[in-house]
């Protein structure tokens, strides 16, 4: 699969535990690229305890001195903010952002979502590097989420929008290509005909119904092979 996955950038995170928790949130949702800008000393017990299975993401994190350098290669940079800013900045919720990120990475673009400091968020200068502002809707009088919780919400939406590369999806699990499906139907109908169950001269709705059933199931290549093996066994018995 060529689809790129979105990066999560954490700016000047001061609690190692938040970095670990963000890594875990990412891995749960199939994201893997963690970028840290001027982080605290983060490879600590607290960090790994909160990563709890996502230590690989922590260890593979790329560290930069400033946000401008960290996002240099990116073609879509989205900043997050706990406050609704008054300045006229394109502002979207996580679902809307995830849709545009998914579309962007589908076209092989590089996308990043940037998260700010626990105390003070992102500076205006940092936000000026972002094309869009992401705000997670909250209760009106309590809008600031823990930074790793914010990463969780955004990562979840990215996964639901199909913008993450699921860790355990191998190409074999993709639905079989149409060409294989056609060969499968040919084989299926020839067996049904030989069994006397199907009359190609008078098919009624049978071929259509069978196609509808199997198209809905979206079998992968291995599953088609199993079915074709089954037909071959029937073939052998009746010949
Ligand atoms: N007092 C800071 C709070 C920062 S919270 C401020 O007002 O900006 C730390 C980080 O968590 C934020 O920079 C942002 O990246 C993320 N975050 C927290 N709540 C959020 C929300 N409601 N929407 C989007 N991001 C949020």
């Amino acid at each position: 699969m060529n689809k790129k996955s979105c990066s999560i950038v954490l700016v000047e995170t001061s609690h190692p535990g938040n970095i670990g928790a963000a890594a875990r949130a990412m891995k749960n949702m199939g994201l893997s690229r963690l970028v840290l800008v001027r982080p605290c000393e983060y490879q600590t017990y607290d960090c790994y305890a909160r990563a709890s299975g996502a230590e690989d993401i922590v260890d593979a994190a790329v560290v930069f001195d400033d946000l401008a350098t960290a996002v240099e290669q990116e073609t879509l940079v989205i900043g997050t903010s706990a406050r609704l800013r008054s300045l006229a900045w394109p502002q979207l919720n996580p679902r809307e952002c995830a849709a545009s990120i998914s579309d962007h990475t589908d076209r092989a673009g590089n996308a990043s979502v940037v998260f700010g400091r626990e105390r003070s968020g992102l500076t205006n200068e940092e936000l000026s590097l972002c094309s869009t502002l992401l705000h997670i809707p909250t209760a009106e009088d309590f809008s600031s989420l823990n930074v790793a919780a914010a990463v969780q919400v955004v990562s979840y939406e990215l996964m639901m929008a199909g913008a993450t590369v699921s860790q355990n999806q191998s190409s074999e699990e993709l639905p079989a290509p149409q060409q294989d499906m056609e060969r499968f139907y040919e084989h299926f109908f020839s067996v049904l005909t030989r069994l006397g169950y199907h009359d190609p001269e008078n098919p009624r709705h049978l071929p259509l119904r069978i196609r509808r059933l199997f198209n809905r199931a979206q079998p992968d290549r291995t599953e088609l092979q199993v079915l074709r093996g089954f037909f071959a066994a029937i073939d052998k018995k009746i010949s």
Side-chain angles (χ1 to χ4, degrees):
M1 201 190 283
N2 291 326
K3 193 177 172 80
K4 294 198 176 176
S5 134
C6 176
S7 302
I8 297 294
V9 184
L10 304 181
V11 177
E12 275 200 85
T13 311
S14 53
H15 295 293
N18 281 337
I19 295 181
R24 180 179 187 173
M26 288 170 63
K27 189 164 177 174
N28 280 143
M29 300 298 143
L31 290 169
S32 58
R33 195 176 142 78
L34 176 62
V35 176
L36 303 172
V37 175
R38 271 196 314 276
C40 55
E41 275 297 322
Y42 64 97
Q43 282 164 308
T44 64
Y45 174 81
D46 258 8
C47 175
Y48 288 115
R50 299 283 303 277
S52 184
E55 296 83 359
D56 54 331
I57 309 263
V58 173
D59 290 337
V62 190
V63 179
F64 289 94
D65 278 340
D66 60 275
L67 182 62
T69 320
V71 297
E72 227 167 39
Q73 302 295 322
E74 305 300 275
T75 43
L76 177 64
V77 183
I78 295 185
T80 56
S81 176
R83 285 167 289 153
L84 286 166
R85 314 245 169 177
S86 47
L87 65 168
W89 214 257
Q91 201 160 275
L92 301 175
N93 67 38
R95 201 155 297 173
E96 294 163 333
C97 278
S100 74
I101 290 171
S102 184
D103 176 58
H104 195 77
T105 51
D106 271 346
R107 291 185 284 134
N110 292 329
S112 278
V113 184
V114 185
F115 295 82
R117 299 158 186 83
E118 288 95 334
R119 286 246 166 92
S120 54
L122 294 168
T123 63
N124 282 335
E125 195 190 341
E126 285 161 346
L127 282 174
S128 71
L129 299 166
C130 306
S131 61
T132 308
L133 209 57
L134 181 160
H135 174 73
I136 302 167
T138 61
E140 221 170 282
D141 55 351
F142 196 55
S143 68
S144 179
L145 278 76
N146 163 268
V147 65
V151 171
Q152 181 74 78
V153 171
V154 172
S155 304
Y156 170 76
E157 290 295 343
L158 286 170
M159 189 192 74
M160 293 304 280
T164 66
V165 181
S166 169
Q167 305 291 309
N168 53 17
Q169 188 167 36
S170 78
S171 57
E172 263 187 5
E173 286 164 346
L174 289 171
Q178 193 47 38
Q179 200 180 27
D180 292 19
M181 290 301 290
E182 285 311 314
R183 270 195 241 120
F184 161 76
Y185 290 129
E186 244 171 62
H187 196 168
F188 195 177
F189 293 125
S190 90
V191 172
L192 290 185
T193 308
R194 282 150 51 79
L195 282 170
Y197 185 77
H198 170 54
D199 176 6
E201 301 300 317
N202 182 22
R204 287 176 313 223
H205 290 310
L206 186 71
L208 210 65
R209 285 190 198 285
I210 297 282
R211 277 174 178 270
R212 203 170 56 183
L213 169 66
F214 283 95
N215 285 352
R216 195 166 63 226
Q218 296 197 300
D220 62 31
R221 275 193 156 133
T222 316
E223 289 164 338
L224 277 195
Q225 269 164 15
V226 171
L227 288 169
R228 293 195 62 181
F230 171 55
F231 298 150
I234 297 175
D235 241 340
K236 215 162 135 193
K237 271 271 190 271
I238 60 178
S239 61

